[in-house]
Amino acid sequence: MKPVKHIICMVFLSLSAALPAAGAEEQQPSLEEIVHRANQVAYYQGRDGRAQVQMLITDSQGRHRQRSFTILRRDGPDTDAVADRAYLGEQQFYVYFHRPADVNKMVFMVHKKPGENDDRWLYLPALDLVKRIAASDKRTSFVGSHYYYEDVSGRSIDADHHELVDVTDNYYVLKHTPKEPGEVEFDHYLMYVHRETFIPVQTEYFDSQGNKYRVARALKVETIQGYPTVTEAVMEDLDSGGKTRMRYNQVTYDIGMPEAVFTERYLRSPPRQYLR
Amino acid sequence: MPISILRALSVLIPLLSAAALAAEPALPTGLGGASEPELPAGMEAGDSGPPLPGGLGSGDEPDLPAGIDEPRETAAFDDWEVGDSDDTEAPLGGLTGFWEARAGHRLQSADNQRQSSLAEMRLELEKGWQGLSWSAKATADLVYDSIEDSGHADLETGMGWLDLREVWLQWRPGADVDLKVGRQILTWGVGDLVFINDLFPKDWNSFLAGRDEQYLKAPSDALRVGYYGDGFNLNLVYTPRFDADRYIDGRRLSYYNPLVGGVVGRNEPLSVDRPDDTGVDDEWALRLYRRWGSYELALYGYDGFWKSPGGFDPRSGRARFPRLRVAGASGRGPLGPGILSLEVGYYDSLEDDSGDDPFVNNDEWRFLAGYEWEVARETTLGLQYYLEAMGDYGAYRRTLPAGQPARDQYRQLVTVRLTRQALNQNLTLGLFAYYSPTDEDAYLRPNIHYKVTDNLAVEGGFNLFFGDRDHTFFGQFEDNSNVYTAVRFSF
């Protein structure tokens, strides 16, 4: 039955694309809107935010590593509105490490700019050294976990072609195909976006043979200050069998963090009032 | 074209492509309903999450499938030792640090030196305190060192059983001002293991003997004032009593002594006259900086002394730290796929204005250009070019004592840093190399570092010096080439 349902769905979607006046799904948001709302919910909620993050990394042989850090985020635009991409703009991240012990008090800072390479800094407290880090490859592991830099800070909407391949009871199923296939390791990825909250509940990465090799899942969602928030998630590497679980504690939005927090001054002397 | 044909085509084409998809061996999971993901906790209908929309009531729809691979694993979080609570505070009452054992061995026998270059155990203890507008920190290394006598502790040189790394208090008298007073590690400038405007003390013994790279920076006893304005930022560091480098003095590592005309070790430890009159023999260091978009620019000034002996008193036979003033600038920012760094400094050797005093260093221009980028996944390459140009070179040559080898007017240096991470970033392979085409000498620092667990790390590496002539910068250290290994437990 499934292939038949699938074919019908494809036909329907193609038809509705070819004949825009079909009129069957008036309430359904446009593809563009789904893509942007999912992006906004995943990475841009509120004017700023803070979380204590714990990571449990399990390698293919079942060995565990832990990471613990505080992440501060601030958005340039003062709106969450998706219309006209108003929510998209500069964004700053400040990641203060607690564990493991050998990275205690290290700081990783990112200034994200749409359409440009990120600016990244690393502060090494034992040397009082502020390093700039080249940001060329965003699809390398973040702190040795199965998450990539891009998974943590968001992949540019404009880097992919988007298709709505299915609409189910709960999900809009999106297929994203990279515009520059040479720059990424995947052929495409599917995203299950919850229809009510626009939370990307599951993201599946496929290689060029059509094999699914990497899956990100939201495990727990809590509504915090009115924002539906993923508070537990996992990233699995299906090839190696390794995975990383992430837990977000003490999530707070709209703290009113000034932009100055994301400067060299606060790399050298961390902003305690926002980290506690 | 008639509308009907268009419609027929639009129906036909997707049918064809859909048929092609269905004919493939395996439809990607997720396109079919069976492998649709389960809603996460907190989103179940009837839970606190919103119910399913009315028009899409679940009556005629299939139920949500069970979990994809396995049941929910929330229980697995129970074995996380860290709880939900604020864990910014470490265990042991906020005491952090590490225990480390480190040993190093010379690769060839050196006259007047032991075969062993490192043999020590170190316990670093660190504790922080903080209030709303202030914070404080103390870091102390307790050291058992079997190479150098660790009987008594010399806090200035870090020798002995106690190396006090940090004891400082920081507070914020106003929104734009930070003050930090006490023993602290200070670093600025854009060079990678090459320093121009960073005139804070370095520990060359640690660096060349194979201690962790963090020990290259020796602490300063200083007051740091930071002003952070809208247009620019200012850092001013006042050190009331000169903090010299922990320079190579022959006791652990051999060096070239021009008086002897050769390389000497423990038989001829360098004796120095160190300026140590508090409030008089002081140092000022200043940095004015700001960021324009992705680019950082800075101006620097320094007033103090040559940090490693830069002069010699022929009457006392002791090495000296002549007066030094430095002005410089740096810039850093992205270029193409990497980061470009530029730095320049003018070393004004105040006690030898015309360059004709053979016992005091001449003025120098120093220039650095660096570029670092990711050449492959988990692999970064950094290249630097460094130039040291001596001022009044004619006067230097004219007054150079007979029989002493002359330095070149231009000393060039190229550095390469290659870093590769593997095994989920638990294994780091690194190489840092200095090569001087003018001095024809080199210094290689290969290193391998592996994190066995989150707390336990092992490392090993070499410090390899090459050079045909005894008096060049790296050539003089040839007898100190060593291999080292260490194990560190962090907590």
Side-chain angles (χ1 to χ4, degrees):
Chain A
M1 280 306 285
K2 295 301 175 197
V4 173
K5 182 197 167 205
H6 172 67
I7 289 168
I8 291 169
C9 176
M10 291 291 287
V11 169
F12 173 75
L13 285 173
S14 306
L15 271 176
S16 58
L19 307 168
E25 288 275 334
E26 278 163 65
Q27 296 128 329
Q28 182 174 308
S30 69
L31 170 63
E32 167 111 358
E33 187 181 345
I34 298 169
V35 167
H36 279 285
R37 292 196 67 164
N39 190 45
Q40 189 269 325
V41 164
Y43 298 107
Y44 291 87
Q45 287 198 122
R47 290 215 47 195
D48 57 33
R50 169 188 58 199
Q52 307 278 358
V53 183
Q54 289 167 285
M55 273 186 173
L56 182 61
I57 304 165
T58 308
D59 71 10
S60 51
Q61 293 165 61
R63 292 172 300 203
H64 294 301
R65 310 262 175 173
Q66 290 188 26
R67 305 282 180 268
S68 163
F69 50 89
T70 303
I71 188 160
L72 307 177
R73 168 184 59 87
R74 184 183 174 279
D75 297 347
D78 53 8
T79 173
D80 274 2
V82 165
D84 300 325
R85 300 178 155 212
Y87 73 101
L88 273 179
E90 286 207 14
Q91 207 176 27
Q92 295 108 30
F93 293 90
Y94 183 106
V95 182
Y96 182 89
F97 288 93
H98 308 292
R99 303 265 191 97
D102 66 333
V103 297
N104 185 25
K105 298 183 177 63
M106 262 188 213
V107 185
F108 176 62
M109 184 170 80
V110 181
H111 289 185
K112 222 177 111 181
K113 297 173 212 172
E116 284 179 62
N117 269 337
D118 299 348
D119 291 326
R120 296 181 188 172
W121 289 263
L122 189 66
Y123 176 67
L124 306 174
L127 285 160
D128 186 41
L129 178 65
V130 176
K131 266 188 78 159
R132 280 294 280 268
I133 304 177
S136 37
D137 192 352
K138 297 174 183 178
R139 300 197 65 79
T140 51
S141 162
F142 178 70
V143 298
S145 74
H146 297 91
Y147 285 91
Y148 294 153
Y149 281 97
E150 213 168 58
D151 300 318
V152 178
S153 65
R155 178 172 167 81
S156 169
I157 293 267
D158 298 321
D160 299 320
H161 296 291
H162 314 283
E163 291 168 71
L164 180 63
V165 293
D166 201 357
V167 179
T168 74
D169 247 12
N170 291 308
Y171 300 108
Y172 299 118
V173 185
L174 298 176
K175 180 180 177 183
H176 307 268
T177 315
K179 289 179 183 169
E180 303 281 350
E183 289 186 359
V184 294
E185 88 290 354
F186 59 81
D187 178 79
H188 67 275
Y189 60 101
L190 296 178
M191 193 185 271
Y192 290 83
V193 177
H194 188 233
R195 290 177 59 175
E196 284 300 300
T197 59
F198 291 93
I199 283 180
V201 169
Q202 182 155 316
T203 308
E204 305 171 340
Y205 295 84
F206 294 84
D207 63 21
S208 52
Q209 274 81 52
N211 299 314
K212 179 164 68 175
Y213 65 93
R214 192 166 180 264
V215 180
R217 281 189 290 156
L219 300 176
K220 190 175 176 191
V221 172
E222 293 172 61
T223 299
I224 296 164
Q225 295 170 250
Y227 300 106
T229 305
V230 175
T231 54
E232 282 184 29
V234 65
M235 176 69 82
E236 285 178 83
D237 178 342
L238 303 179
D239 286 343
S240 76
K243 66 182 172 185
T244 297
R245 301 180 54 117
M246 233 193 315
R247 186 160 69 171
Y248 297 83
N249 299 314
Q250 302 174 38
V251 179
T252 320
Y253 292 100
D254 300 321
I255 308 160
M257 261 182 293
E259 192 172 1
V261 164
F262 302 87
T263 61
E264 187 187 312
R265 177 188 190 185
Y266 289 94
L267 286 178
R268 293 182 192 264
S269 45
R272 309 269 171 213
Q273 69 269 39
Y274 300 116
L275 296 174
R276 63 181 73 231
Chain B
M1 209 184 289
I3 293 286
S4 56
I5 298 180
L6 257 182
R7 283 182 184 232
L9 271 177
S10 67
V11 171
L12 205 59
I13 291 168
L15 267 178
L16 285 172
S17 57
L21 263 175
E24 277 172 15
L27 197 67
T29 42
L31 285 181
S35 54
E36 178 178 309
E38 192 181 351
L39 280 170
M43 272 186 164
E44 277 98 350
D47 204 319
S48 59
L52 283 172
L56 290 167
S58 53
D60 54 341
E61 293 280 343
D63 286 338
L64 280 177
I68 295 169
D69 296 311
E70 49 201 314
R72 250 175 243 295
E73 306 158 71
T74 318
F77 277 106
D78 294 345
D79 51 51
W80 288 39
E81 63 187 56
V82 274
D84 284 340
S85 64
D86 183 353
D87 67 337
T88 52
E89 284 298 320
L92 305 173
L95 205 59
T96 57
F98 60 82
W99 173 87
E100 181 189 85
R102 194 170 280 263
H105 204 72
R106 279 196 166 72
L107 294 171
Q108 64 289 303
S109 60
D111 293 340
N112 306 306
Q113 290 294 5
R114 301 180 201 208
Q115 200 62 30
S116 173
S117 51
L118 271 177
E120 62 191 32
M121 276 197 282
R122 184 179 289 267
L123 176 67
E124 179 170 290
L125 297 173
E126 182 183 312
K127 175 123 171 81
W129 300 265
Q130 52 202 263
L132 268 181
S133 62
W134 63 274
S135 58
K137 190 176 165 195
T139 307
D141 282 22
L142 308 173
V143 185
Y144 172 75
D145 182 347
S146 81
I147 303 290
E148 287 177 73
D149 173 28
S150 50
H152 74 290
D154 182 342
L155 293 184
E156 199 69 29
T157 62
M159 284 189 286
W161 62 272
L162 174 66
D163 183 5
L164 206 52
R165 308 288 305 169
E166 295 175 281
V167 184
W168 50 256
L169 172 67
Q170 174 170 305
W171 73 102
R172 191 156 287 181
D176 300 335
V177 180
D178 287 346
L179 293 176
K180 189 171 178 180
V181 63
R183 175 159 284 213
Q184 51 193 302
I185 307 286
L186 293 160
T187 299
W188 62 41
V190 300
D192 183 7
L193 301 183
V194 174
F195 304 94
I196 296 179
N197 292 295
D198 180 331
L199 287 138
F200 304 112
K202 321 288 186 305
D203 183 347
W204 297 110
N205 287 290
S206 289
F207 187 64
L208 303 184
R211 289 199 183 111
D212 190 285
E213 212 168 277
Q214 76 180 80
Y215 289 99
L216 171 58
K217 296 299 289 199
S220 302
D221 295 316
L223 168 71
R224 192 188 77 176
V225 182
Y227 166 79
Y228 305 90
D230 286 336
F232 66 95
N233 307 293
L234 179 83
N235 287 166
L236 182 68
V237 176
Y238 177 66
T239 308
R241 188 175 64 170
F242 172 58
D243 279 320
D245 286 346
R246 297 174 178 181
Y247 49 86
I248 306 297
D249 62 1
R251 277 191 278 198
R252 182 185 296 264
L253 301 174
S254 304
Y255 69 103
Y256 177 80
N257 185 325
L259 284 188
V260 179
V263 172
V264 298
R266 295 198 299 163
N267 56 324
E268 294 268 353
L270 189 66
S271 60
V272 298
D273 268 334
R274 181 204 295 261
D276 61 356
D277 197 351
T278 304
V280 177
D281 295 327
D282 53 6
E283 297 175 275
W284 293 87
L286 175 131
R287 178 174 65 138
L288 199 65
Y289 73 98
R290 71 160 295 171
R291 189 169 56 80
W292 271 280
S294 299
Y295 301 91
E296 300 162 296
L297 291 169
L299 298 174
Y300 306 87
Y302 171 79
D303 188 288
F305 305 86
W306 287 88
K307 302 295 288 190
S308 285
F312 176 74
D313 182 344
R315 284 157 308 200
S316 68
R318 287 165 174 264
R320 296 176 54 234
F321 300 85
R323 295 267 293 119
L324 175 69
R325 203 172 274 165
V326 179
S330 74
R332 183 162 68 174
L335 178 78
I339 301 291
L340 177 73
S341 305
L342 297 169
E343 187 164 349
V344 64
Y346 180 68
Y347 279 50
D348 188 359
S349 192
L350 295 176
E351 296 178 30
D352 189 13
D353 268 343
S354 46
D356 54 5
D357 184 342
F359 300 112
V360 175
N361 281 0
N362 279 20
D363 298 344
E364 279 175 13
W365 276 100
R366 294 186 177 190
F367 171 79
L368 174 84
Y371 190 66
E372 185 170 277
W373 76 110
E374 198 173 82
V375 286
R377 218 174 146 85
E378 308 276 18
T379 308
T380 49
L381 179 63
L383 300 173
Q384 292 183 119
Y385 171 79
Y386 169 78
L387 176 69
E388 218 172 75
M390 191 193 293
D392 303 314
Y393 189 69
Y396 164 77
R397 288 302 291 256
R398 218 170 40 244
T399 55
L400 190 71
Q404 255 202 47
R407 284 178 51 186
D408 291 331
Q409 183 175 4
Y410 299 101
R411 175 172 170 250
Q412 300 181 62
L413 194 62
V414 175
T415 77
V416 178
R417 182 192 279 277
L418 186 62
T419 309
R420 178 160 179 80
Q421 292 195 303
L423 306 176
N424 299 327
Q425 300 180 359
N426 291 312
L427 179 68
T428 305
L429 302 169
L431 171 68
F432 194 96
Y434 296 89
Y435 168 68
S436 171
T438 47
D439 279 357
E440 294 176 316
D441 62 358
Y443 173 26
L444 306 185
R445 294 169 54 84
N447 174 280
I448 179 168
H449 184 276
Y450 180 64
K451 293 184 185 179
V452 183
T453 69
D454 277 340
N455 298 108
L456 184 67
V458 290
E459 75 168 325
F462 292 89
N463 289 285
L464 303 172
F465 303 93
F466 303 93
D468 286 338
R469 290 172 290 166
D470 278 349
H471 66 273
T472 62
F473 195 85
F474 297 119
Q476 65 179 318
F477 299 130
E478 217 173 5
D479 285 350
N480 298 315
S481 286
N482 60 75
V483 57
Y484 64 89
T485 181
V487 55
R488 179 183 282 203
F489 182 82
S490 305
F491 54 86

Short mmCIF file of all heavy atoms in Angstrom, two decimals, chain A residues 237-271:
data_model
loop_
_atom_site.label_atom_id
_atom_site.label_comp_id
_atom_site.label_asym_id
_atom_site.label_seq_id
_atom_site.Cartn_x
_atom_site.Cartn_y
_atom_site.Cartn_z
N ASP A 237 25.21 8.07 14.39
CA ASP A 237 25.99 7.73 13.20
C ASP A 237 25.70 6.25 12.91
O ASP A 237 26.19 5.37 13.61
CB ASP A 237 27.48 7.96 13.49
CG ASP A 237 28.36 7.59 12.31
OD1 ASP A 237 27.89 6.84 11.43
OD2 ASP A 237 29.52 8.03 12.28
N LEU A 238 24.87 6.00 11.91
CA LEU A 238 24.41 4.63 11.68
C LEU A 238 25.52 3.74 11.13
O LEU A 238 25.49 2.53 11.29
CB LEU A 238 23.21 4.63 10.72
CG LEU A 238 22.02 5.48 11.17
CD1 LEU A 238 20.91 5.43 10.14
CD2 LEU A 238 21.50 5.04 12.53
N ASP A 239 26.52 4.34 10.48
CA ASP A 239 27.63 3.53 9.95
C ASP A 239 28.50 2.98 11.07
O ASP A 239 28.83 1.80 11.10
CB ASP A 239 28.50 4.38 9.01
CG ASP A 239 27.79 4.62 7.69
OD1 ASP A 239 26.82 3.88 7.41
OD2 ASP A 239 28.19 5.53 6.96
N SER A 240 28.88 3.85 12.01
CA SER A 240 29.80 3.42 13.06
C SER A 240 29.07 2.87 14.27
O SER A 240 29.64 2.14 15.07
CB SER A 240 30.68 4.59 13.50
OG SER A 240 29.93 5.46 14.32
N GLY A 241 27.80 3.24 14.42
CA GLY A 241 27.07 2.84 15.60
C GLY A 241 27.26 3.80 16.77
O GLY A 241 26.72 3.59 17.83
N GLY A 242 28.04 4.85 16.57
CA GLY A 242 28.24 5.82 17.64
C GLY A 242 27.09 6.81 17.69
O GLY A 242 26.34 6.97 16.73
N LYS A 243 26.93 7.45 18.84
CA LYS A 243 25.89 8.46 18.94
C LYS A 243 26.22 9.46 20.04
O LYS A 243 27.03 9.20 20.94
CB LYS A 243 24.54 7.82 19.21
CG LYS A 243 24.44 7.13 20.55
CD LYS A 243 23.08 6.48 20.70
CE LYS A 243 23.05 5.63 21.96
NZ LYS A 243 21.80 4.89 22.11
N THR A 244 25.59 10.59 19.96
CA THR A 244 25.75 11.63 20.97
C THR A 244 24.38 12.09 21.41
O THR A 244 23.53 12.43 20.59
CB THR A 244 26.53 12.83 20.41
OG1 THR A 244 27.84 12.41 20.05
CG2 THR A 244 26.62 13.94 21.45
N ARG A 245 24.17 12.05 22.72
CA ARG A 245 22.91 12.56 23.27
C ARG A 245 23.18 13.90 23.90
O ARG A 245 24.20 14.12 24.53
CB ARG A 245 22.37 11.59 24.32
CG ARG A 245 22.12 10.20 23.76
CD ARG A 245 21.58 9.32 24.84
NE ARG A 245 20.41 9.93 25.43
CZ ARG A 245 19.20 9.39 25.38
NH1 ARG A 245 19.02 8.25 24.78
NH2 ARG A 245 18.19 10.00 25.95
N MET A 246 22.22 14.77 23.72
CA MET A 246 22.37 16.11 24.24
C MET A 246 21.18 16.44 25.11
O MET A 246 20.06 16.07 24.80
CB MET A 246 22.42 17.11 23.08
CG MET A 246 23.62 17.95 23.19
SD MET A 246 23.81 19.41 22.24
CE MET A 246 23.38 19.12 20.61
N ARG A 247 21.47 17.11 26.20
CA ARG A 247 20.40 17.52 27.09
C ARG A 247 20.58 19.01 27.41
O ARG A 247 21.67 19.44 27.74
CB ARG A 247 20.43 16.68 28.36
CG ARG A 247 19.26 16.96 29.27
CD ARG A 247 19.06 15.82 30.23
NE ARG A 247 20.16 15.77 31.19
CZ ARG A 247 20.15 14.97 32.26
NH1 ARG A 247 19.13 14.18 32.49
NH2 ARG A 247 21.17 14.96 33.09
N TYR A 248 19.51 19.74 27.30
CA TYR A 248 19.54 21.19 27.57
C TYR A 248 18.85 21.45 28.89
O TYR A 248 17.66 21.17 29.05
CB TYR A 248 18.80 21.96 26.48
CG TYR A 248 19.41 21.85 25.11
CD1 TYR A 248 19.14 20.76 24.29
CD2 TYR A 248 20.26 22.84 24.63
CE1 TYR A 248 19.70 20.66 23.03
CE2 TYR A 248 20.82 22.75 23.37
CZ TYR A 248 20.54 21.66 22.58
OH TYR A 248 21.10 21.56 21.33
N ASN A 249 19.60 21.98 29.85
CA ASN A 249 19.02 22.31 31.15
C ASN A 249 18.94 23.81 31.32
O ASN A 249 19.70 24.56 30.70
CB ASN A 249 19.89 21.74 32.28
CG ASN A 249 19.99 20.23 32.21
OD1 ASN A 249 19.00 19.54 32.03
ND2 ASN A 249 21.20 19.72 32.33
N GLN A 250 18.06 24.21 32.20
CA GLN A 250 17.96 25.63 32.58
C GLN A 250 17.91 26.54 31.36
O GLN A 250 18.66 27.51 31.27
CB GLN A 250 19.14 26.02 33.46
CG GLN A 250 19.24 25.19 34.71
CD GLN A 250 20.51 25.51 35.48
OE1 GLN A 250 20.92 26.66 35.55
NE2 GLN A 250 21.12 24.52 36.06
N VAL A 251 17.04 26.21 30.43
CA VAL A 251 16.90 27.03 29.24
C VAL A 251 16.15 28.32 29.60
O VAL A 251 15.13 28.28 30.28
CB VAL A 251 16.15 26.27 28.14
CG1 VAL A 251 15.99 27.13 26.90
CG2 VAL A 251 16.87 24.97 27.81
N THR A 252 16.70 29.43 29.21
CA THR A 252 16.05 30.72 29.43
C THR A 252 16.11 31.53 28.15
O THR A 252 17.14 31.53 27.47
CB THR A 252 16.78 31.52 30.54
OG1 THR A 252 17.16 30.63 31.58
CG2 THR A 252 15.89 32.61 31.09
N TYR A 253 15.02 32.21 27.85
CA TYR A 253 14.99 33.07 26.68
C TYR A 253 14.85 34.54 27.09
O TYR A 253 14.44 34.85 28.21
CB TYR A 253 13.80 32.72 25.78
CG TYR A 253 13.89 31.37 25.12
CD1 TYR A 253 13.20 30.28 25.64
CD2 TYR A 253 14.66 31.19 23.98
CE1 TYR A 253 13.27 29.03 25.03
CE2 TYR A 253 14.73 29.95 23.36
CZ TYR A 253 14.04 28.87 23.89
OH TYR A 253 14.10 27.65 23.28
N ASP A 254 15.15 35.41 26.15
CA ASP A 254 14.91 36.85 26.30
C ASP A 254 15.51 37.41 27.59
O ASP A 254 14.83 38.04 28.40
CB ASP A 254 13.41 37.14 26.21
CG ASP A 254 12.84 36.69 24.88
OD1 ASP A 254 13.53 36.87 23.86
OD2 ASP A 254 11.71 36.16 24.86
N ILE A 255 16.79 37.15 27.76
CA ILE A 255 17.48 37.61 28.96
C ILE A 255 17.86 39.08 28.83
O ILE A 255 18.04 39.78 29.82
CB ILE A 255 18.78 36.80 29.16
CG1 ILE A 255 18.49 35.30 29.12
CG2 ILE A 255 19.47 37.16 30.46
CD1 ILE A 255 19.71 34.47 28.81
N GLY A 256 17.99 39.54 27.60
CA GLY A 256 18.43 40.91 27.39
C GLY A 256 19.94 41.05 27.43
O GLY A 256 20.49 42.02 27.96
N MET A 257 20.62 40.06 26.87
CA MET A 257 22.09 40.10 26.84
C MET A 257 22.56 41.16 25.86
O MET A 257 22.11 41.18 24.72
CB MET A 257 22.63 38.75 26.37
CG MET A 257 23.09 37.85 27.45
SD MET A 257 23.74 36.34 26.77
CE MET A 257 22.31 35.56 26.07
N PRO A 258 23.47 42.02 26.29
CA PRO A 258 24.00 43.00 25.35
C PRO A 258 24.97 42.36 24.36
O PRO A 258 25.57 41.32 24.65
CB PRO A 258 24.73 44.00 26.25
CG PRO A 258 25.06 43.25 27.48
CD PRO A 258 24.01 42.18 27.64
N GLU A 259 25.12 42.99 23.21
CA GLU A 259 26.00 42.46 22.18
C GLU A 259 27.45 42.41 22.68
O GLU A 259 28.24 41.58 22.25
CB GLU A 259 25.90 43.34 20.93
CG GLU A 259 26.53 42.73 19.71
CD GLU A 259 26.26 43.51 18.44
OE1 GLU A 259 25.58 44.56 18.53
OE2 GLU A 259 26.73 43.08 17.38
N ALA A 260 27.77 43.30 23.63
CA ALA A 260 29.15 43.38 24.14
C ALA A 260 29.62 42.08 24.77
O ALA A 260 30.83 41.84 24.87
CB ALA A 260 29.25 44.52 25.15
N VAL A 261 28.67 41.24 25.20
CA VAL A 261 29.06 39.96 25.80
C VAL A 261 29.88 39.12 24.82
O VAL A 261 30.74 38.35 25.21
CB VAL A 261 27.80 39.19 26.27
CG1 VAL A 261 28.11 37.73 26.54
CG2 VAL A 261 27.22 39.85 27.51
N PHE A 262 29.63 39.34 23.54
CA PHE A 262 30.26 38.50 22.52
C PHE A 262 31.49 39.19 21.94
O PHE A 262 31.66 39.30 20.73
CB PHE A 262 29.24 38.16 21.43
CG PHE A 262 28.02 37.45 22.00
CD1 PHE A 262 26.94 38.18 22.50
CD2 PHE A 262 27.99 36.08 22.09
CE1 PHE A 262 25.84 37.54 23.04
CE2 PHE A 262 26.90 35.42 22.64
CZ PHE A 262 25.83 36.16 23.12
N THR A 263 32.34 39.70 22.83
CA THR A 263 33.56 40.36 22.40
C THR A 263 34.75 39.80 23.18
O THR A 263 34.58 39.04 24.14
CB THR A 263 33.51 41.88 22.67
OG1 THR A 263 33.34 42.10 24.07
CG2 THR A 263 32.36 42.54 21.91
N GLU A 264 35.94 40.22 22.76
CA GLU A 264 37.16 39.72 23.38
C GLU A 264 37.20 39.99 24.88
O GLU A 264 37.75 39.20 25.65
CB GLU A 264 38.37 40.36 22.69
CG GLU A 264 39.67 39.74 23.17
CD GLU A 264 40.91 40.45 22.66
OE1 GLU A 264 40.98 40.72 21.45
OE2 GLU A 264 41.80 40.72 23.48
N ARG A 265 36.62 41.11 25.29
CA ARG A 265 36.63 41.42 26.72
C ARG A 265 36.07 40.26 27.54
O ARG A 265 36.61 39.89 28.59
CB ARG A 265 35.78 42.67 26.96
CG ARG A 265 35.65 43.05 28.41
CD ARG A 265 34.64 44.17 28.61
NE ARG A 265 34.68 44.71 29.96
CZ ARG A 265 33.83 45.63 30.41
NH1 ARG A 265 32.90 46.12 29.61
NH2 ARG A 265 33.92 46.07 31.64
N TYR A 266 34.97 39.68 27.05
CA TYR A 266 34.30 38.63 27.82
C TYR A 266 34.87 37.24 27.53
O TYR A 266 34.54 36.29 28.23
CB TYR A 266 32.79 38.68 27.58
CG TYR A 266 32.19 39.89 28.26
CD1 TYR A 266 32.00 41.08 27.57
CD2 TYR A 266 31.86 39.84 29.61
CE1 TYR A 266 31.49 42.20 28.20
CE2 TYR A 266 31.34 40.95 30.25
CZ TYR A 266 31.16 42.13 29.54
OH TYR A 266 30.65 43.23 30.19
N LEU A 267 35.72 37.14 26.51
CA LEU A 267 36.46 35.89 26.36
C LEU A 267 37.46 35.79 27.50
O LEU A 267 37.64 34.75 28.13
CB LEU A 267 37.22 35.87 25.02
CG LEU A 267 36.41 35.64 23.76
CD1 LEU A 267 37.32 35.71 22.54
CD2 LEU A 267 35.73 34.29 23.80
N ARG A 268 38.12 36.93 27.77
CA ARG A 268 39.16 36.93 28.80
C ARG A 268 38.57 36.97 30.20
O ARG A 268 39.19 36.47 31.14
CB ARG A 268 40.10 38.11 28.58
CG ARG A 268 40.94 37.99 27.31
CD ARG A 268 41.90 39.15 27.18
NE ARG A 268 42.51 39.24 25.87
CZ ARG A 268 43.72 38.74 25.56
NH1 ARG A 268 44.42 38.12 26.48
NH2 ARG A 268 44.20 38.87 24.35
N SER A 269 37.43 37.60 30.37
CA SER A 269 36.77 37.56 31.69
C SER A 269 35.29 37.26 31.47
O SER A 269 34.51 38.14 31.17
CB SER A 269 36.98 38.87 32.45
OG SER A 269 36.77 39.97 31.61
N PRO A 270 34.93 35.99 31.62
CA PRO A 270 33.59 35.50 31.28
C PRO A 270 32.47 36.28 31.98
O PRO A 270 32.64 36.73 33.12
CB PRO A 270 33.62 34.06 31.74
CG PRO A 270 35.04 33.67 31.71
CD PRO A 270 35.81 34.91 32.07
N PRO A 271 31.33 36.45 31.31
CA PRO A 271 30.19 37.19 31.87
C PRO A 271 29.44 36.35 32.88
O PRO A 271 28.45 35.70 32.55
CB PRO A 271 29.34 37.49 30.63
CG PRO A 271 29.62 36.35 29.70
CD PRO A 271 31.03 35.94 29.96
#
